[in-house]
């Protein structure tokens, strides 16, 4: 059973701080990793993807991947109240078609 | 660009009844996904289409769930008969290639009583 584990939170950070969201996965065959943001009552939206070990930056977001430790994280710099949402980690196999396994998500609360 | 459309947005049915959901993906998106998201959980893939062919339906409860994608565009997901544990949000998503779902629809919230 392939699993993606996340702390459900909530993770509370003050406005302007760095939020660090973490995810571990069980399947060593995972080759692709994604972060989705889901606002309460809304659908997920894809915000980051990462395929290689190391860091990938996109604006205020940085995804970090360590395949040896089976660990992926998302850093949000200069957190804003509008970043308050649930962040879903998902892993996939690059077998031609992406079959993603989602974690249960971490709820982030950014206070003004 | 118009987003992924889904209908209905909400549905309440009694157990053992049947229900159908409709999805219209973003124009030109070859890959279409149906996910089930139970409250407090991450989305679970039910079925994935590439054009009008099924790529993965390993987690689809085939004794009660069925899905089709006619002409590689619209898709319908049906549940017959529904059980209480089917209460969830059913999300349709699409992507232009074999990549991850890049656009989700608003979802259909199903309540089975």
């Amino acid at each position: 059973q392939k699993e993606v584990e996340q702390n459900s939170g909530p993770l509370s950070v003050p406005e302007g701080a760095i939020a660090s969201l973490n995810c571990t996965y069980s399947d060593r065959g995972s080759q692709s990793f994604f972060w989705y943001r889901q606002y309460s009552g809304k659908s997920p939206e894809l915000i980051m993807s990462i395929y290689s070990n190391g860091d990938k930056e996109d604006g205020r977001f940085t995804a970090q991947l360590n395949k040896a430790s089976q660990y992926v994280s998302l850093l949000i710099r200069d957190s804003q109240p509008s970043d308050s949402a649930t962040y879903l980690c998902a892993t996939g196999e690059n077998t031609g078609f992406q079959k993603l396994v989602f974690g249960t998500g971490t709820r982030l609360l950014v206070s003004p | 660009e118009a987003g992924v459309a889904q209908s209905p947005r909400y549905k309440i049915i009694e157990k053992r009844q049947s229900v159908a959901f409709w999805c219209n993906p973003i124009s030109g998106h070859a890959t279409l996904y149906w996910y089930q998201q139970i409250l407090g959980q991450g989305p679970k893939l039910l079925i994935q289409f590439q054009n009008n062919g099924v790529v993965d339906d390993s987690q689809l409860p085939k004794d009660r769930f069925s899905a089709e994608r006619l002409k590689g565009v619209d898709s319908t997901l049906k549940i017959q008969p529904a059980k209480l544990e089917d209460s969830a949000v059913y999300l349709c998503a699409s992507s232009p290639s074999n990549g991850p779902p890049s656009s989700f629809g608003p979802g259909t919230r199903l309540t089975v009583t």
Side-chain angles (χ1 to χ4, degrees):
Chain A
Q1 180 78 8
K2 300 174 184 176
E3 294 184 343
V4 176
E5 305 235 350
Q6 297 181 258
N7 188 314
S8 60
L11 173 66
S12 295
V13 299
E15 183 175 357
I18 296 175
S20 178
L21 304 159
N22 304 314
C23 169
T24 59
Y25 59 95
S26 63
D27 182 17
R28 286 197 171 273
S30 298
Q31 295 293 323
S32 54
F33 306 87
F34 308 95
W35 285 97
Y36 288 79
R37 178 176 62 198
Q38 187 171 28
Y39 291 112
S40 180
K42 302 296 185 182
S43 296
E45 55 180 315
L46 180 63
I47 57 172
M48 288 288 286
S49 60
I50 186 166
Y51 300 90
S52 304
N53 278 331
D55 295 1
K56 179 181 178 183
E57 186 175 319
D58 184 1
R60 295 187 297 112
F61 298 100
T62 299
Q64 299 175 318
L65 174 62
N66 184 325
K67 289 185 180 179
S69 300
Q70 295 178 240
Y71 178 93
V72 58
S73 64
L74 178 71
L75 301 178
I76 306 175
R77 290 182 300 281
D78 189 23
S79 294
Q80 301 297 310
S82 58
D83 295 325
S84 298
T86 295
Y87 290 80
L88 298 163
C89 174
T91 67
E93 301 170 6
N94 275 350
T95 58
F97 298 99
Q98 296 279 3
K99 178 182 174 181
L100 299 191
V101 177
F102 281 86
T104 56
T106 297
R107 186 176 169 214
L108 173 66
L109 296 177
V110 181
S111 54
Chain B
E1 160 181 90
V4 177
Q6 289 188 248
S7 68
R9 293 293 311 278
Y10 305 92
K11 190 74 176 179
I12 300 174
I13 61 172
E14 296 182 351
K15 60 184 179 183
R16 292 187 290 274
Q17 286 187 324
S18 62
V19 65
F21 311 129
W22 172 83
C23 173
N24 181 241
I26 291 175
S27 178
H29 278 196
T31 309
L32 185 148
Y33 314 77
W34 283 102
Y35 285 89
Q36 179 193 60
Q37 187 172 24
I38 293 172
L39 186 65
Q41 299 183 18
K44 180 181 107 174
L45 179 67
L46 293 176
I47 189 166
Q48 180 175 339
F49 293 95
Q50 180 73 9
N51 295 309
N52 61 348
V54 175
V55 171
D56 190 311
D57 63 356
S58 58
Q59 299 187 100
L60 186 73
K62 298 181 185 64
D63 58 333
R64 299 186 300 108
F65 286 64
S66 64
E68 61 181 4
R69 188 182 186 194
L70 299 177
K71 300 181 181 179
V73 182
D74 292 10
S75 178
T76 57
L77 176 70
K78 297 180 181 177
I79 307 175
Q80 180 180 14
K83 293 185 175 181
L84 295 177
E85 59 261 35
D86 298 332
S87 294
V89 175
Y90 290 83
L91 296 164
C92 179
S94 67
S95 68
S97 65
N98 297 337
S102 54
S103 301
F104 279 83
T108 297
R109 183 176 299 276
L110 174 67
T111 302
V112 182
T113 63

